[in-house]
Amino acid sequence: MTTSTPNKEQVLEEAAYWFACLQSEDVSAQEKQAWQTWHNQSPLHQAVWQQVERVDRQYQNLPKQHSYHVLHQTGRSRRQFLLGMMGLAVAAPIVWQQRQDIQATWLSGETETTQVGEVRQISLKDGTQLWLNTDSLVTIDQQVHLQQFHLLRGELFVESASGAIPIQLATGFGQVSAIGANFSVRLNEDHTYLAVHQGSVTVTADSGSHTKVQAKQSVLFNRTNLSPIQGHSANDEAWRRGYLVADNMRLDEFIELLNRYHPNGWLKCSASASHYRLVGHYSLADTEKVLDAVAFSLPVTVRKITPWFTVLEDNKNISHS
């Protein structure tokens, strides 16, 4: 029997959990012992935890107003804060959080942003409608014969008007070109996702590889590769109507999506509850109510470890003694 070796990102996720758990005022002796067991399991666990402690000390040494800013920013960029805090992004979390906003000032056009949980509709000069999803940042340069977008964070949906001006949209991994199409683009940590809802869109990766994506198709691309996908998810556009759709969706996948809209910290689904499945349409207006609805329909408990860290756990694995 073979066992897979956890990669560093997985260990960072685990370290994030234990960091939040140990910060709780009501952390139990059993939880402390469980953390110690995890810490002693491998040199990688110990090395990652040293990163956590080192950067946490840097945070503690920040001026009071800067440390408040870091915690405030955590509410709208939780995963970025945690990864940055543990050394994946940059040395100081506060720099990581501001990097994309600073980059936007270097680009031409107007800057448009949304906070966590906010969805905005923007009307462009040619009548095209643009929606920005939660925690998104884009620059828009509306020229006479071309509209140039640069997506720096998050997700957008474009609904082109009749006779719309051509669009060129740059991401960190390549360029999207469209004329009169309806499409959505989401920027992830290591790739860009494009879904075409009407018309056709051309995608060109930074390497020069390109493909045309037709309606009801989607593609994942990074700087070197293009990976076409047949069809796309209802959630590629449901968010602009304020809903998250679960069609027999695993709970861990659902919580990962919901986490993007949750303004009160970081959501996590425990491994023991990850296999449960959900069906339904859930309003994104209040993520706390969504968590309550999930706990009502599934045998799970919503446990708030700290004010900014919430875990969904299987009821069967919770001791009531």
Side-chain angles (χ1 to χ4, degrees), residues 133-206:
N133 201 358
T134 175
D135 192 22
S136 296
L137 170 62
V138 65
T139 62
I140 305 172
D141 187 3
Q142 301 185 69
Q143 303 174 20
V144 176
H145 302 295
L146 180 68
Q147 300 188 96
Q148 292 185 314
F149 303 161
H150 197 124
L151 184 62
L152 296 162
R153 183 172 67 245
E155 183 173 19
L156 57 76
F157 186 102
V158 174
E159 185 178 272
S160 295
S162 177
I165 298 172
I167 292 173
Q168 286 187 352
L169 187 155
T171 75
F173 303 100
Q175 182 171 280
V176 172
S177 302
I179 303 177
N182 296 349
F183 60 96
S184 56
V185 178
R186 182 172 69 250
L187 182 60
N188 297 300
E189 292 175 7
D190 55 1
H191 68 272
T192 297
Y193 171 78
L194 163 75
V196 180
H197 304 271
Q198 181 177 312
S200 63
V201 175
T202 299
V203 177
T204 305
D206 284 348

Side-chain angles (χ1 to χ4, degrees), residues 61-278:
N61 291 331
L62 284 174
K64 185 176 181 180
Q65 65 272 25
H66 288 173
S67 61
Y68 171 82
H69 178 69
V70 169
L71 287 182
H72 177 70
Q73 290 290 82
T74 300
R76 68 181 184 91
S77 188
R78 300 161 305 280
R79 178 175 172 82
Q80 295 168 2
F81 171 78
L82 289 166
L83 296 181
M85 181 188 70
M86 290 178 282
L88 274 190
V90 294
I94 194 168
V95 176
W96 205 103
Q97 294 160 347
Q98 293 175 343
R99 178 172 61 89
Q100 294 158 336
D101 296 289
I102 293 172
Q103 186 179 356
T105 66
W106 303 340
L107 301 170
S108 60
E110 299 179 355
T111 299
E112 302 288 351
T113 64
T114 54
Q115 304 297 315
V116 167
E118 178 187 9
V119 174
R120 286 183 56 205
Q121 182 178 356
I122 302 168
S123 297
L124 304 182
K125 293 177 181 178
D126 68 345
T128 292
Q129 299 299 306
L130 173 68
W131 283 264
L132 277 186
N133 201 358
T134 175
D135 192 22
S136 296
L137 170 62
V138 65
T139 62
I140 305 172
D141 187 3
Q142 301 185 69
Q143 303 174 20
V144 176
H145 302 295
L146 180 68
Q147 300 188 96
Q148 292 185 314
F149 303 161
H150 197 124
L151 184 62
L152 296 162
R153 183 172 67 245
E155 183 173 19
L156 57 76
F157 186 102
V158 174
E159 185 178 272
S160 295
S162 177
I165 298 172
I167 292 173
Q168 286 187 352
L169 187 155
T171 75
F173 303 100
Q175 182 171 280
V176 172
S177 302
I179 303 177
N182 296 349
F183 60 96
S184 56
V185 178
R186 182 172 69 250
L187 182 60
N188 297 300
E189 292 175 7
D190 55 1
H191 68 272
T192 297
Y193 171 78
L194 163 75
V196 180
H197 304 271
Q198 181 177 312
S200 63
V201 175
T202 299
V203 177
T204 305
D206 284 348
S207 64
S209 301
H210 62 277
T211 188
K212 180 169 286 189
V213 186
Q214 304 292 342
K216 298 184 180 180
Q217 295 181 337
S218 54
V219 65
L220 295 175
F221 65 96
N222 56 27
R223 293 184 176 89
T224 57
N225 298 313
L226 299 164
S227 302
I229 303 170
Q230 291 296 323
H232 46 74
S233 168
N235 286 309
D236 291 339
E237 64 171 327
W239 58 264
R240 66 187 176 120
R241 299 191 299 273
Y243 288 94
L244 184 58
V245 180
D247 184 8
N248 197 33
M249 183 182 293
R250 281 175 58 98
L251 183 59
D252 54 351
E253 296 173 356
F254 180 83
I255 294 301
E256 184 177 358
L257 285 175
L258 185 65
N259 184 54
R260 297 172 56 205
Y261 303 88
H262 187 61
N264 302 320
W266 191 41
L267 301 179
K268 184 73 175 179
C269 179
S270 69
S272 62
S274 62
H275 64 284
Y276 291 121
R277 292 185 176 271
L278 282 171

